[in-house]
Amino acid sequence: MKRLILANLLFCLLLVGLSLPAAAESLSLHISGVDDEELSNVLYAVLQLPEGIVEDGQLNQLWLERYRRQLAGRVSKTLQPYGYFNSAVQDQLITDDDGSQQLLLTIDPGPPLRVTKRKITIAGEQISSSLKNRIISAYPLSVGQVLRQDLHDEGKAHLKESFISGGYLDAHFSRSQILVSVTDKTAEIFLDLVPGRKYVFGETSFSGYGDYPVKYMKRYLAYQPGEDFSQEKLSRTHLNYVDSELFDRVVVEPRRDQAVDRQVPIDVSVEPAPRHRLRPGIGYGTDTGARVSLDYRNLNLFRLGHELQGNLLLAERKQAVTNTYVIPHLKRLDTRTLVSAGWTREETDSYLTRETSAEVEYQRMLSSRFSTSFFLRFSQEYSEIADQETTAQMLLPGVRLTWRYLNDSVLPSRGAQLKLQLLAGDRELLSDTSLAQILANVSVLQPLPFESQLFVRLKSGATYFDDPFSEVPASLRFFAGGDQSVRGYGYQSLGPTDSDGEVIGGRNMLVYNLEFEKKVTDNWGLALFYDAGNAFNSFENYELKQGAGIGVRRYTRIGAIRLDLARQMATADVKYRLHFSVGFGW
């Protein structure tokens, strides 16, 4: 009886064992003995386990043994470009309690080969010794350093490219040699560069430019025929065409094979963008209220490369239509003339104004960051300020100066800007009142540790005149308050008041802003701010209104969306106000 029971028990255990799945096997790779993180990453990439070595939970032993036999050769081949020619590898296969296996590789790179001699020569008496020494000094390997093939290749490429980009298109190495002694663990580097003759720019041919005049196409060239050939000028030319936003495709190609007497012809092939562009927009801002806009551009008016810009804005507090005719300078890419005409209506808590204007402006860049413009503006403006109506005709010549640096035009983290505008009008020259006005704006954006930044802005203006203040239209009076001014107060709600307490604007204005912003995630940030400012009539006697608060920032491709909660300060009747805006307020 006992034998029968024991037999049945063994039979049941056998059935249970057959019903259980076999333990799945796994294999992982571990490397030790290499301290350099970059080299360790390279080894992991090169020595990765073959795909399919574990399949259906089973380890392929044949593949594993074949892989282990290849390890020494693969490691040696990998380490040699890094200067290690005497490497050794030990491998060990360990099985854990759960059945998984680890392949442990202990790598001894051995002593590296070091550079014991470096001789770099550049032929050509026409090249100054200082230039040769400067280019040679950029070669990354020097005596005493570990021989690295990647750095050597980069250095060689830089040496040759330095001359090719400077017009020496035939530059080549007459000798490029590394003498290696594995026994002595030494390496000697010999490089002899022959620059050859210097080339110049030849004529430029254009294709695919459509209705644009050839003279207009030439204005984007960063070089002139006969100038020394330069890859930098070619790149600048390509960028000029791209930045114009007039072409969907741009190819700037030197024809080295067609060079005659060292003159390299250049081919410029473009594909014009659609001539007509229409861009609608919709949005909301605390200062303007809900708004819709429509922007139109004709990129090639009269087939002269001239541009027509039309802008329509319909907002709760402001409506405007403006047309601008842009005449580019045919020889200077940084110069243009603008002729504009428009109509504007704006209604705030302080005033109502309707203005019809025309302006001619000449713009010119004096440097990559400094621009200037001279303008002549004629306007007829009707204003209602408090209970007073004003009609004024003004002819205002003036100048605008701007210096600006931004590390990013959409979401900057560092930058500075200085803007200065001067204008004047005279009764003897088609103006109803004589005045002179200056407006200055200084802004600084400074990055701080921990993905934060500090924004500081100072804005000031002053008006000088002897005529009655009532004759000055609303557009030439100063007001303060709003999203880009003193937060906590309504748009254009601050300034001197009349006997009834209604704001009528002032001769002068002073506003400054301090804002600390901390990035919380890639798309969100928080801000703390303090604003102070006002409009007033005398710099000897004025009061600055204050506001402070917190804000939330949402970073997008069109700029930061800004929502601020501001509290009025230093006032008996404290009020809170929400401010909403898009973009960076320079």
Side-chain angles (χ1 to χ4, degrees):
M1 185 66 178
K2 291 181 179 180
R3 290 181 179 178
L4 181 60
I5 294 174
L6 182 59
N8 289 333
L9 180 59
L10 292 173
F11 180 73
C12 292
L13 289 174
L14 177 61
L15 290 178
V16 171
L18 292 175
S19 65
L20 290 175
E25 296 180 326
S26 64
L27 179 64
S28 58
L29 177 66
H30 298 273
I31 298 175
S32 62
V34 181
D35 297 330
D36 185 274
E37 182 178 354
E38 177 186 3
L39 195 52
S40 179
N41 292 335
V42 171
L43 286 168
Y44 267 110
V46 173
L47 302 179
Q48 59 183 324
L49 295 170
E51 184 178 352
I53 196 170
V54 178
E55 189 173 0
D56 297 330
Q58 297 295 318
L59 180 62
N60 190 321
Q61 294 294 337
L62 292 177
W63 278 30
L64 178 59
E65 291 305 318
R66 182 174 181 272
Y67 173 75
R68 294 175 71 176
R69 289 194 300 271
Q70 296 175 345
L71 284 174
R74 296 176 70 173
V75 169
S76 177
K77 187 176 181 180
T78 302
L79 293 179
Q80 285 182 8
Y82 290 86
Y84 297 94
F85 284 73
N86 296 281
S87 62
V89 182
Q90 291 183 351
D91 64 285
Q92 183 181 9
L93 189 63
I94 298 177
T95 303
D96 296 331
D97 295 338
D98 59 359
S100 61
Q101 292 183 299
Q102 300 181 49
L103 183 58
L104 305 181
L105 302 184
T106 303
I107 298 176
D108 179 12
L113 272 64
R114 295 189 178 274
V115 179
T116 55
K117 185 175 183 179
R118 190 194 77 172
K119 184 178 181 181
I120 302 176
T121 62
I122 299 176
E125 296 180 358
Q126 75 278 16
I127 302 171
S128 66
S129 298
S130 59
L131 177 59
K132 292 180 181 180
N133 292 334
R134 186 167 65 252
I135 294 175
I136 291 174
S137 65
Y139 179 80
L141 293 178
S142 57
V143 174
Q145 287 186 280
V146 175
L147 175 67
R148 284 189 52 172
Q149 186 67 41
D150 56 338
L151 296 182
H152 172 71
D153 293 342
E154 291 174 10
K156 276 186 58 180
H158 176 75
L159 282 169
K160 187 175 179 179
E161 183 60 31
S162 296
F163 284 94
I164 291 179
S165 62
Y168 295 92
L169 303 184
D170 295 329
H172 65 280
F173 288 99
S174 61
R175 183 185 186 188
S176 176
Q177 189 176 38
I178 301 179
L179 300 181
V180 172
S181 173
V182 177
T183 304
D184 298 332
K185 304 175 184 61
T186 62
E188 298 180 352
I189 300 173
F190 298 92
L191 293 173
D192 296 334
L193 179 66
V194 180
R197 300 182 303 169
K198 195 168 190 177
Y199 285 73
V200 298
F201 283 105
E203 295 297 326
T204 301
S205 59
F206 300 92
S207 61
Y209 54 91
D211 295 334
Y212 289 98
V214 172
K215 287 185 178 180
Y216 181 82
M217 295 297 297
K218 288 184 177 180
R219 71 189 296 266
Y220 294 101
L221 302 180
Y223 58 85
Q224 295 294 330
E227 290 184 358
D228 290 343
F229 183 90
S230 166
Q231 190 64 46
E232 180 183 354
K233 291 181 179 180
L234 275 185
S235 299
R236 170 49 57 183
T237 297
H238 182 272
L239 191 60
N240 288 343
Y241 284 106
V242 172
D243 287 347
S244 71
E245 299 182 350
L246 302 178
F247 308 100
D248 288 338
R249 184 184 64 86
V250 178
V251 178
V252 180
E253 187 175 6
R255 292 298 186 182
R256 167 67 179 85
D257 57 325
Q258 299 177 12
V260 178
D261 294 332
R262 297 184 297 113
Q263 297 183 23
V264 182
I266 309 297
D267 285 350
V268 176
S269 175
V270 298
E271 182 180 326
R275 178 182 299 180
H276 302 281
R277 293 184 180 179
L278 197 62
R279 186 178 67 181
I282 185 171
Y284 176 85
T286 314
D287 291 348
T288 62
R291 63 178 181 267
V292 294
S293 62
L294 185 65
D295 296 336
Y296 167 76
R297 292 178 67 187
N298 185 323
L299 303 179
N300 188 15
L301 194 64
F302 306 131
R303 299 182 179 180
L304 296 173
H306 296 184
E307 183 175 336
L308 178 65
Q309 301 174 356
N311 307 98
L312 174 65
L313 172 67
L314 299 176
E316 292 183 55
R317 301 182 183 90
K318 185 176 183 178
Q319 302 83 45
V321 57
T322 306
N323 290 288
T324 303
Y325 183 54
V326 183
I327 306 173
H329 195 286
L330 289 181
K331 293 186 178 180
R332 293 187 62 98
L333 189 61
D334 58 3
T335 303
R336 61 181 186 169
T337 301
L338 293 83
V339 181
S340 61
W343 174 87
T344 302
R345 179 187 182 277
E346 186 174 25
E347 184 173 7
T348 71
D349 294 337
S350 302
Y351 59 80
L352 166 67
T353 179
R354 292 192 297 269
E355 180 184 18
T356 303
S357 63
E359 182 173 298
V360 179
E361 182 178 9
Y362 176 79
Q363 298 179 345
R364 185 164 183 171
M365 296 292 296
L366 301 181
S367 70
S368 60
R369 299 179 183 176
F370 185 42
S371 66
T372 182
S373 70
F374 300 92
F375 64 90
L376 180 64
R377 180 179 180 83
F378 179 78
S379 68
Q380 290 184 329
E381 182 175 356
Y382 167 79
S383 305
E384 292 181 12
I385 305 174
D387 294 329
Q388 190 174 48
E389 297 183 7
T390 300
T391 301
Q393 173 180 289
M394 301 296 296
L395 181 65
L396 301 169
V399 60
R400 300 183 180 103
L401 303 173
T402 303
W403 182 91
R404 186 177 189 181
Y405 162 73
L406 287 178
N407 64 348
D408 188 283
S409 59
V410 179
L411 291 172
S413 61
R414 181 191 298 274
Q417 176 175 270
L418 170 63
K419 297 178 69 175
L420 183 67
Q421 175 178 283
L422 303 170
L423 59 81
D426 191 280
R427 280 184 176 275
E428 303 297 327
L429 296 173
L430 300 178
S431 294
D432 289 340
T433 185
S434 298
L435 58 77
Q437 190 174 88
I438 180 172
L439 181 63
N441 188 335
V442 180
S443 305
V444 177
L445 179 64
Q446 176 63 39
L448 299 175
F450 308 110
E451 293 190 293
S452 60
Q453 60 189 26
L454 178 67
F455 176 60
V456 181
R457 178 175 59 193
L458 175 64
K459 187 177 182 181
S460 180
T463 309
Y464 305 92
F465 60 92
D466 295 324
D467 295 334
F469 186 64
S470 59
E471 297 183 9
V472 179
S475 63
L476 294 175
R477 301 188 187 190
F478 287 115
F479 299 84
D483 299 342
Q484 308 298 329
S485 183
V486 184
R487 283 164 285 190
Y489 293 87
Y491 175 62
Q492 304 287 65
S493 65
L494 297 177
T497 59
D498 61 11
S499 57
D500 296 327
E502 296 190 54
V503 177
I504 59 173
R507 295 169 175 255
N508 312 308
M509 179 266 297
L510 179 63
V511 173
Y512 63 87
N513 310 97
L514 298 174
E515 182 170 312
F516 172 80
E517 186 174 314
K518 173 70 174 69
K519 196 172 185 179
V520 179
T521 68
D522 289 341
N523 298 321
W524 291 93
L526 298 175
L528 298 174
F529 60 85
Y530 170 78
D531 302 332
N534 209 342
F536 44 87
N537 288 321
S538 174
F539 277 100
E540 297 178 356
N541 182 21
Y542 62 91
E543 176 190 5
L544 296 183
K545 298 294 185 180
Q546 303 175 62
I550 59 175
V552 177
R553 305 288 180 260
R554 176 69 166 92
Y555 307 117
T556 71
R557 287 183 293 179
I558 62 172
I561 300 175
R562 308 156 66 86
L563 180 63
D564 296 323
L565 175 63
R567 177 188 185 276
Q568 298 175 5
M569 300 178 65
T571 180
D573 185 17
V574 175
K575 294 181 180 179
Y576 292 83
R577 186 178 179 87
L578 278 174
H579 294 268
F580 179 82
S581 60
V582 179
F584 197 80
W586 284 97

